[in-house]
Amino acid sequence: MLQAVKPSMLRVALAATFAAAMFAADGQAQDRLPQARESVEIVDRTEGRVLQIYWHQGRRYVVGKPGNEYSIRVRNGSGGRVLTVMSVDGVNVITGDTAFSRQSGYVLSPNESSEIAGWRTSMSRTAAFYFTSLPDSYAARTGRPDNVGVIGVAVFAERQRPIALGELRRKEVAREDAGTAQASQPSAPASGAANEAAAAPRDQAAKLGTGYGRSESSYATYTAFERASDTPTETIAIYYDSYQNLLAQGVPVAPAPIARYRPNPFPESGHFVPAP
């Protein structure tokens, strides 16, 4: 069930921070990376539900419904800030450039989650993501149709600066206290770029893509972020397509819901109420 959200709450929920493109210099000591505990979900905003993820041959898949808006929900379950570089159909969701993992992304604080609901058009607006036909997708309309049908998130840990011994001990104690509570939380399955194989050939015109939708308020600010490495600690890819196309590819999607019978309140007409 969808709940009404006050404008002030909505601004907070949609607020996100950009990461400056900063990298650790070569030859610097390796930093200890936080354990990867990131999770990514695709939320159908039109129907108000999280899309079920289906696994097939080492890949994640979700069923998209043409015309429905969606968002990418990302949660940082680690103990440090992370940079999440996001792409849709091979296009960076912030800059609109052909996606590359070293580009700008969204920064999440420890245990923070955020929903990215569209292509960023300014520091205060986005254009909503929605499932659509391939020719209508933003990637195809900008001459880049080859990677339509996949959502990607590359996660980077933040480089930790040297701190005083006293502060280091306090942080170690805090981590030890938190470790017991976090030990039972399973890590999300990793899906690196090396595991991504070419999709089976099919009718390209029938594929789903992501459109450039209505303009919405979404506030963002810049923040500095220095990556601990130029290699992501985790890369998550979620493929999407219509129910029929995924079924044809052998993805074990759940049976399509059967249309429910809706009673007719006026099955007949033209009569008056008879006497009992």
Side-chain angles (χ1 to χ4, degrees):
M1 177 182 295
L2 292 178
Q3 296 181 346
V5 181
K6 296 180 181 179
S8 58
M9 294 174 62
L10 185 63
R11 286 195 293 272
V12 172
L14 292 179
T17 52
F18 283 121
M22 300 172 63
F23 302 92
D26 293 338
Q28 292 177 332
Q30 290 290 329
D31 293 298
R32 185 176 182 180
L33 303 180
Q35 183 178 2
R37 291 184 179 272
E38 287 66 45
S39 66
V40 179
E41 296 176 319
I42 308 302
V43 181
D44 186 314
R45 299 173 63 201
T46 301
E47 299 184 2
R49 63 188 180 91
V50 175
L51 296 182
Q52 181 176 345
I53 291 181
Y54 301 94
W55 284 87
H56 179 60
Q57 297 181 348
R59 290 180 169 190
R60 299 172 175 88
Y61 291 87
V62 294
V63 177
K65 183 178 293 186
N68 283 17
E69 294 181 342
Y70 74 87
S71 63
I72 307 169
R73 178 184 293 167
V74 183
R75 184 183 71 86
N76 172 21
S78 73
R81 292 202 314 169
V82 297
L83 164 63
T84 58
V85 180
M86 300 185 189
S87 69
V88 171
D89 296 346
V91 179
N92 185 289
V93 302
I94 292 176
T95 65
D97 296 328
T98 299
F100 183 45
S101 63
R102 295 187 183 182
Q103 293 167 338
S104 294
Y106 290 103
V107 174
L108 300 181
S109 298
N111 300 311
E112 180 184 6
S113 66
S114 184
E115 287 195 25
I116 310 305
W119 310 98
R120 182 150 296 281
T121 59
S122 71
M123 296 300 289
S124 60
R125 310 290 295 181
T126 55
F129 297 139
Y130 69 95
F131 296 116
T132 188
S133 62
L134 187 150
D136 184 50
S137 67
Y138 177 74
R141 291 172 64 184
T142 55
R144 296 167 290 180
D146 293 343
N147 295 294
V148 166
V150 63
I151 296 163
V153 180
V155 182
F156 292 85
E158 185 171 24
R159 172 173 166 74
Q160 302 300 312
R161 294 295 184 182
I163 55 178
L165 291 179
E167 183 180 355
L168 177 61
R169 179 54 189 157
R170 288 194 297 272
K171 289 192 174 184
E172 287 178 349
V173 171
R175 282 198 297 269
E176 291 170 0
D177 293 340
T180 303
Q182 293 184 353
S184 61
Q185 299 179 10
S187 300
S191 178
N195 296 327
E196 308 304 340
R202 63 187 188 278
D203 183 5
Q204 296 296 305
K207 289 181 61 176
L208 280 189
T210 296
Y212 185 95
R214 63 191 175 95
S215 180
E216 299 180 285
S217 295
S218 176
Y219 298 93
T221 58
Y222 284 104
T223 186
F225 186 98
E226 186 173 357
R227 308 176 200 222
S229 170
D230 59 3
T231 302
T233 60
E234 187 174 15
T235 300
I236 300 168
I238 299 177
Y239 295 84
Y240 68 90
D241 211 331
S242 65
Y243 173 82
Q244 292 79 5
N245 284 353
L246 293 183
L247 192 65
Q249 296 176 59
V251 179
V253 293
I258 300 175
R260 296 180 58 187
Y261 171 72
R262 295 183 179 180
N264 186 352
F266 303 103
E268 294 185 13
S269 60
H271 302 282
F272 293 102
V273 178

